[in-house]
Amino acid sequence: MHIPDGFVDAPTSAAFGAVAVAGVGYAVKRAGDEASDQVVPLAGLCAAFVFAAQMLNFPVAMGTSGHLLGGVLAAVLVGPWLGAIAIAVVLGVQSLFADGGLTALGLNITNMALVGALGGYALFALVLRLLPARAPSVAAASAVAALITVPLAAGAFVIEFALGGTVDLPLGGVVGAMLGVHVLIGIGEAVITAATVSLVMSTRPDLVYGARDLLDARRLEIRPPAAAVPTGHGGGTGAAAGGLEPTATSVTGRRAASGSEA
Amino acid sequence: MTAGGARRGNTRFVVAGLFVAFVLAGFVSGYASSHPDGLEKVAEEKGFLGQADDHAFANWPLADYAVSGIGNERLAGGVAGVIGVSIAFVVGGLLVFGAVRLRSRGPGRASAPTGDRGPDDPGPGGPGGVGTDAAGAGAAPAA
């Protein structure tokens, strides 16, 4: 999904560079408005994790691979603004590894950070609203959003290519091929996103930005009865052991018990 | 990063998460598929892959996720992954730290746990961006 230099001409790349600067700039502003110092390491972690996950290409179809884009994942975990920043950071750092063209950085940030994280979060929020207000819905909604975001980002590339592609091609073929492959990659994106979100939901649900409203409504949770089940005595393990003993040595047991009470 | 120590639970979570990221980038990445990705494949099929120019940093020591000078391919990739994860963590953290510090001026925004996704008006700034940043920074000490 990383566009190299040369696919899209300079004016179009520059225009999307401006889009990327404006979008990420706005995300920085909004993130600063709502974020606190506590999220700083979480945002860094998010970028680090997405960088790592993007190295893990998985096979999709004949001789083709795909990897996580991570926009929805980042946005659900740390919020759309920080999420978009994290993805933009990942794309910037990847330049050091000669991945994704330098002149295409604006295109790639537009597709993966703006469409991927901001657009992806909008999708997530929409789907979450349609699902029952329960914790598993967070992972489910992020899966659906992730699945849709990948072909959406592929569609964004097609638009960019239509505007400034360096080759004149019948667009229909490019659209079909791009969407076809990226729907498959989207399935992988959905699986990885949902698995990671589920993992964080099961360990630190309070850190999942996308679960905030849900958790606020769920403050009063019914906890399963833990200690009361094994014995009829409601007094913990010491009392349970003491309660069993009198059946074996009832006389001494009683005596000891009454002696201690008296 | 100093702010991370404020809550012990978060520190633990971040350390555990980083560990996972290091394992994924440093070790698991060696088993990743080396087939062209979706875009590359389409470009190849449709005949515009040749349009791609060499990356400006194609001769860098980190190019293509392989540290030059390390003979073992898997090790070179793993080390590159660990370096990349570290840089992403530091750069991402610093950028967000800067963003938070630049903007967190006004009182009473310390704890706003419920995320209204509606347009919370940031005051007279609007889409002023950097300009309002500077104004806020200048006005804060006076207040």
Side-chain angles (χ1 to χ4, degrees), chain B:
Chain B
M1 287 340 84
T2 47
R7 269 184 64 191
R8 203 162 163 217
N10 275 14
T11 309
R12 226 184 184 173
F13 179 84
V14 170
V15 170
L18 274 180
F19 177 75
V20 173
F22 280 130
V23 170
L24 291 179
F27 179 70
V28 182
S29 64
Y31 298 90
S33 167
S34 54
H35 286 304
D37 75 1
L39 173 60
E40 251 178 296
K41 186 72 178 178
V42 171
E44 192 185 309
E45 271 173 12
K46 301 294 168 190
F48 63 91
L49 186 59
Q51 292 296 312
D53 298 326
D54 273 349
H55 197 280
F57 298 153
N59 295 319
W60 270 40
L62 291 173
D64 295 324
Y65 300 93
V67 177
S68 56
I70 298 181
N72 185 320
E73 206 176 293
R74 193 157 280 179
L75 185 67
V79 173
V82 168
I83 292 173
V85 165
S86 309
I87 298 176
F89 178 71
V90 172
V91 172
L94 283 180
L95 189 64
V96 172
F97 183 72
V100 170
R101 275 300 147 97
L102 263 181
R103 307 279 317 172
S104 66
R105 299 289 173 183
R109 59 172 298 290
S111 60
T114 32
D116 318 285
R117 273 177 235 108
D120 42 58
D121 201 318
V130 181
T132 44
D133 278 350

Side-chain angles (χ1 to χ4, degrees), chain A residues 1 5 7 29 32-33 35 37-38 40 44-45 57 64-65 94-95 97 99-100 121 166-167 181 204 213 216, chain B residues 7 9-10 33 35-38 41 48 51-53 55 57 62 64-65 89 93 100-101 103 109 114 117 126:
Chain A
M1 181 57 84
D5 293 318
F7 277 12
K29 176 173 134 59
D33 284 343
D37 278 357
Q38 270 183 7
V40 167
L45 173 60
N57 283 61
T64 310
S65 74
Q94 282 168 337
S95 294
F97 297 84
D99 191 8
Y121 193 84
T166 50
V167 183
V181 157
R204 289 294 303 272
D213 296 347
D216 282 343
Chain B
R7 269 184 64 191
N10 275 14
S33 167
H35 286 304
D37 75 1
K41 186 72 178 178
F48 63 91
Q51 292 296 312
D53 298 326
H55 197 280
F57 298 153
L62 291 173
D64 295 324
Y65 300 93
F89 178 71
V100 170
R101 275 300 147 97
R103 307 279 317 172
R109 59 172 298 290
T114 32
R117 273 177 235 108

Side-chain angles (χ1 to χ4, degrees), chain A residues 51-175:
Chain A
F51 181 92
Q54 288 207 354
M55 288 182 74
L56 308 179
N57 283 61
F58 49 83
V60 281
M62 303 261 284
T64 310
S65 74
H67 61 70
L68 184 81
L69 303 188
V72 171
L73 176 63
V76 170
L77 292 181
V78 295
W81 312 116
L82 287 176
I85 295 169
I87 302 300
V89 165
V90 168
L91 291 165
V93 172
Q94 282 168 337
S95 294
L96 300 177
F97 297 84
D99 191 8
L102 280 189
T103 61
L105 195 54
L107 301 164
N108 284 321
I109 288 179
T110 301
N111 298 351
M112 286 183 260
L114 303 186
V115 173
L118 298 186
Y121 193 84
L123 277 171
F124 163 81
L126 190 74
V127 176
L128 189 62
R129 213 167 294 166
L130 301 176
L131 293 175
R134 284 191 274 121
S137 298
V138 177
S142 50
V144 174
L147 176 65
I148 301 172
T149 310
V150 179
L152 215 57
F157 165 76
V158 175
I159 292 171
E160 292 153 359
F161 193 74
L163 290 172
T166 50
V167 183
D168 244 345
L169 279 177
L171 276 176
V174 178
V175 173

Side-chain angles (χ1 to χ4, degrees), chain A residues 193-218:
Chain A
T193 302
T196 311
V197 169
S198 298
L199 186 67
V200 182
M201 281 297 286
S202 67
T203 50
R204 289 294 303 272
D206 57 310
L207 295 183
V208 179
Y209 184 100
R212 285 177 166 194
D213 296 347
L214 207 79
L215 288 176
D216 282 343
R218 277 169 43 96

